[in-house]
Amino acid sequence: MRTPLLLVACLCLCVEAQGALRTTGGLRKGEKRQVGMSGEGALLRRFKRGWMWNQFFLLEEYTGSDDQYVGKLHSDKDREDGTVRYVLTGEGAGSIFVIDENSGDLHATRRLDREEKAFYTLSAKAVDKFTGRDLEGPSQFTIKIHDINDNEPKFTRDPYTASVQEMADVGTFVVQVTATDADDATYGNSAKVVYSILQGQPYFSVEPETGIIRTALPNMNREVREYYQVVIQAKDMAGQMGGLSGTTTVNITLLDINNHPPRFPQGVYQFSISESSDPGSVIGMLRATDADTGRNAEMEYTIMDEQDMFQISTNHRTQEGVITLRKHLDYEKKRTFSLRVQVENVYLDPRFHSRDSFRDTATIKISVEDEDEPPTFLHPAYVMEVKEDAKIGTVIGSVRAVDPDANRVPVRYLIDWHTDMDHVFNIHPNNGSVYIARPLDREEHAWHNISVQAAEYNNKISHVPVYVRVLDVNDNAPTFDTTYEPLICENVKAGQVNQNLPQFTSCFCVFVYVCASPLYLSFGCC
């Protein structure tokens, strides 16, 4: 139990001139004789004011059962004969503070809290009980609540959240914590706070006066431990024994830096792809591992070999290397490929490593799978010629297709009848010889465009265009475009050209009119 501090009113003496009072007898201590103009001496007396006070002190959080004694108000004019009454007014008068009107004793009726109200301003006076006349005018005084250490330090936040880069130097600033104490900072050490670390050593430390938390251990690795929980205590009374304390938690996260290289989990990767795959097809994906996070773990994949059959790109969302096909494959020409792939970090931190140490390589082996392909013609198109008078069954040319697969399945040939509706041609199913099936007439069709099919037993079919040109033979006599009827005069001279006629080797007829008399002339066989 706290022992209340009993305060006695401090009586302050004040000198006032009360006027010239005539007295008899010699001067008493404090008297002065003043010589007036008349030469007669007048006595001036210096009286002390009956009572006056300035300030009382009262201990907060009083726990006694009786009213707490504050002090005593007393007037020199109080002869203690019961004729003086003391009157109290102001803040808390009559409720918090009461005065014994006879003795002037001042008490507090209840427990007070300095943090709620630090001081009270009151007035008091002394009056004559019987006449009500003021013996002493009102005087103002203050009751100041004396602080005790009844408030523990409180942190402005709980918890705190902070972060610091991994591998930071010892003493690197992390965060500053702050605790406040509601006690009186101007009185004693009740509000003087000292910080200490209860949990989080040896990784972090705290400055006792400022609450600044710093790193205390070198080379802290995020990949080993990422999160730390630090408990900080704030204790008043300058940290001395008996002081009150409060705590807060500081959650500290180590921020990643790029101090780990990417690495392939294995040295060799195996993939396969069908030879019938189109360019752009995905062959496979591989991923290197990196203990870092975020942008520090971003990678770039490249193919080191000088080739243009494959390419690799980086999926920036998953950080995987995606291998794709760039050109058509041929199992019969090349069945396996071997690639050397490199991975490296995109963003490097020169403080910790050189660029060469942050690369890794792996071997990629790609197997080409055989696909049952249709027959392949030796030429993309064929052109054949035949005279129009050639006999039925005459071979005009041949096509050839082979199975590109390793087992070389035999091929049979046939004509796509949609391209030869009249069945003018036919083909030998075993050797691909094309022959005439119907008579040809160049004057009707000078060109025939047909499609020849090559098929395997499993119905794998391919097509090739065949263009047949029909060559002309002299199987048609010449004919005139029109009937000619030239006119000559009867007196025409011999050898005179009248009209040129086309030269033909066939028979023709010319009708000649001599003036108005027709003369029929026959040339050749009309």
Side-chain angles (χ1 to χ4, degrees):
M1 176 179 293
R2 297 186 181 95
T3 302
L5 176 61
L6 300 181
L7 301 177
V8 178
C10 177
L11 302 180
C12 298
L13 301 180
C14 178
V15 177
E16 289 185 351
Q18 300 295 319
L21 298 176
R22 187 179 297 274
T23 62
T24 61
L27 292 175
R28 288 179 293 182
K29 186 178 180 181
E31 294 180 348
K32 288 184 180 180
R33 182 177 300 274
Q34 181 176 0
V35 179
M37 294 180 62
S38 60
E40 295 180 359
L43 283 178
L44 292 180
R45 293 188 180 181
R46 183 171 60 195
F47 292 90
K48 64 180 179 181
R49 185 177 175 88
W51 57 289
M52 188 175 181
W53 53 90
N54 183 22
Q55 188 167 262
F56 291 102
F57 292 94
L58 182 64
L59 196 65
E60 69 169 331
E61 304 294 349
Y62 172 69
T63 58
S65 58
D66 299 329
D67 291 345
Q68 186 178 5
Y69 181 73
V70 179
K72 185 178 183 66
L73 307 180
H74 183 73
S75 172
D76 287 346
K77 295 183 178 181
D78 184 0
R79 297 179 176 82
E80 298 183 0
D81 55 0
T83 61
V84 176
R85 179 168 62 90
Y86 295 94
V87 179
L88 184 66
T89 59
E91 293 179 318
S95 58
I96 300 176
F97 302 102
V98 295
I99 191 170
D100 186 325
E101 64 177 16
N102 296 317
S103 65
D105 290 333
L106 185 63
H107 290 82
T109 62
R110 68 186 186 200
R111 183 176 179 179
L112 298 177
D113 187 352
R114 188 201 67 84
E115 286 71 41
E116 181 179 335
K117 189 171 177 63
F119 63 90
Y120 297 82
T121 302
L122 298 100
S123 295
K125 63 181 180 178
V127 300
D128 190 297
K129 281 186 179 181
F130 301 104
T131 64
R133 182 175 62 87
D134 289 348
L135 301 177
E136 297 286 351
S139 293
Q140 191 177 72
F141 64 96
T142 299
I143 299 178
K144 186 176 181 181
I145 309 303
H146 238 323
D147 183 49
I148 64 171
N149 189 20
D150 60 342
N151 290 279
E152 72 278 4
K154 293 184 179 179
F155 283 91
T156 56
R157 279 189 289 170
D158 188 23
Y160 284 80
T161 301
S163 60
V164 64
Q165 279 192 343
E166 63 174 332
M167 313 297 290
D169 295 334
V170 173
T172 299
F173 174 87
V174 180
V175 69
Q176 183 175 16
V177 297
T178 304
T180 59
D181 195 312
D183 292 321
D184 189 356
T186 64
Y187 181 75
N189 292 325
S190 296
K192 187 173 182 180
V193 176
V194 172
Y195 301 93
S196 61
I197 185 168
L198 301 182
Q199 176 183 315
Q201 294 174 322
Y203 307 102
F204 301 94
S205 63
V206 64
E207 294 180 357
E209 302 295 331
T210 63
I212 294 176
I213 299 174
R214 300 183 182 275
T215 57
L217 195 67
N219 301 323
M220 287 191 292
N221 195 333
R222 185 199 66 85
E223 288 71 36
V224 176
R225 182 176 176 183
E226 185 174 3
Y227 301 104
Y228 295 83
Q229 190 173 79
V230 178
V231 178
I232 301 297
Q233 175 183 268
K235 190 174 183 180
D236 61 16
M237 296 298 292
Q240 298 175 7
M241 185 178 296
L244 303 179
S245 64
T247 60
T248 188
T249 300
V250 184
N251 296 318
I252 301 175
T253 302
L254 291 188
L255 300 179
D256 185 55
I257 62 173
N258 191 5
N259 60 334
H260 291 85
R263 289 289 181 259
F264 284 110
Q266 56 196 72
V268 179
Y269 293 83
Q270 297 278 354
F271 298 102
S272 61
I273 184 172
S274 172
E275 64 173 330
S276 62
S277 298
D278 295 324
S281 300
V282 175
I283 300 173
M285 292 179 289
L286 64 158
R287 182 177 182 179
T289 60
D290 194 322
D292 298 316
T293 61
R295 63 174 299 183
N296 294 321
E298 292 185 16
M299 313 174 209
E300 197 71 37
Y301 298 85
T302 54
I303 295 177
M304 305 301 294
D305 306 274
E306 294 183 1
Q307 56 81 38
D308 59 355
M309 186 65 70
F310 307 96
Q311 68 179 10
I312 189 168
S313 59
T314 303
N315 185 325
H316 295 291
R317 184 179 61 86
T318 63
Q319 296 303 311
E320 292 177 307
V322 183
I323 305 172
T324 54
L325 181 66
R326 296 185 63 185
K327 292 184 177 181
H328 287 287
L329 297 168
D330 190 343
Y331 172 83
E332 286 69 34
K333 290 183 178 180
K334 191 168 184 178
R335 301 182 181 184
T336 60
F337 294 86
S338 180
L339 311 174
R340 192 163 61 95
V341 176
Q342 175 182 276
V343 63
E344 60 181 335
N345 279 139
V346 178
Y347 304 101
L348 299 179
D349 192 335
R351 296 177 301 170
F352 298 96
H353 40 69
S354 65
R355 189 174 182 86
D356 290 339
S357 65
F358 271 65
R359 294 175 176 173
D360 196 17
T361 59
T363 300
I364 309 298
K365 294 187 178 296
I366 301 174
S367 300
V368 181
E369 296 178 345
D370 187 25
E371 185 74 18
D372 190 5
E373 302 172 85
T376 302
F377 284 95
L378 300 185
H379 301 285
Y382 291 85
V383 178
M384 301 177 183
E385 293 182 344
V386 59
K387 291 184 177 181
E388 61 179 328
D389 61 350
K391 296 180 181 180
I392 294 175
T394 301
V395 175
I396 62 174
S398 63
V399 298
R400 187 184 176 195
V402 295
D403 181 9
D405 299 317
N407 52 5
R408 300 295 184 185
V409 175
V411 176
R412 57 187 178 87
Y413 304 92
L414 64 155
I415 292 178
D416 183 355
W417 297 118
H418 293 90
T419 63
D420 187 15
M421 300 294 291
D422 296 329
H423 292 213
V424 178
F425 302 96
N426 208 339
I427 191 170
H428 194 285
N430 295 323
N431 60 24
S433 298
V434 180
Y435 59 90
I436 300 172
R438 292 186 64 180
L440 302 173
D441 188 350
R442 190 199 67 82
E443 286 69 34
E444 289 185 7
H445 297 289
W447 285 91
H448 294 269
N449 300 330
I450 62 176
S451 178
V452 173
Q453 298 176 343
E456 298 178 9
Y457 69 91
N458 55 3
N459 292 327
K460 292 282 185 177
I461 299 175
S462 57
H463 299 75
V464 69
V466 178
Y467 306 105
V468 180
R469 181 184 180 186
V470 180
L471 302 177
D472 185 44
V473 296
N474 191 9
D475 60 346
N476 291 283
T479 59
F480 284 103
D481 293 336
T482 185
T483 301
Y484 294 91
E485 296 181 357
L487 297 175
I488 60 174
C489 295
E490 57 183 341
N491 57 353
V492 67
K493 295 179 181 180
Q496 182 176 346
V497 176
N498 185 64
Q499 183 171 352
N500 290 327
L501 298 178
Q503 294 182 359
F504 293 100
T505 58
S506 59
C507 298
F508 59 92
C509 296
V510 179
F511 295 91
V512 180
Y513 292 86
V514 179
C515 295
S517 300
L519 174 64
Y520 180 80
L521 298 177
S522 175
F523 298 90
C525 49
C526 295

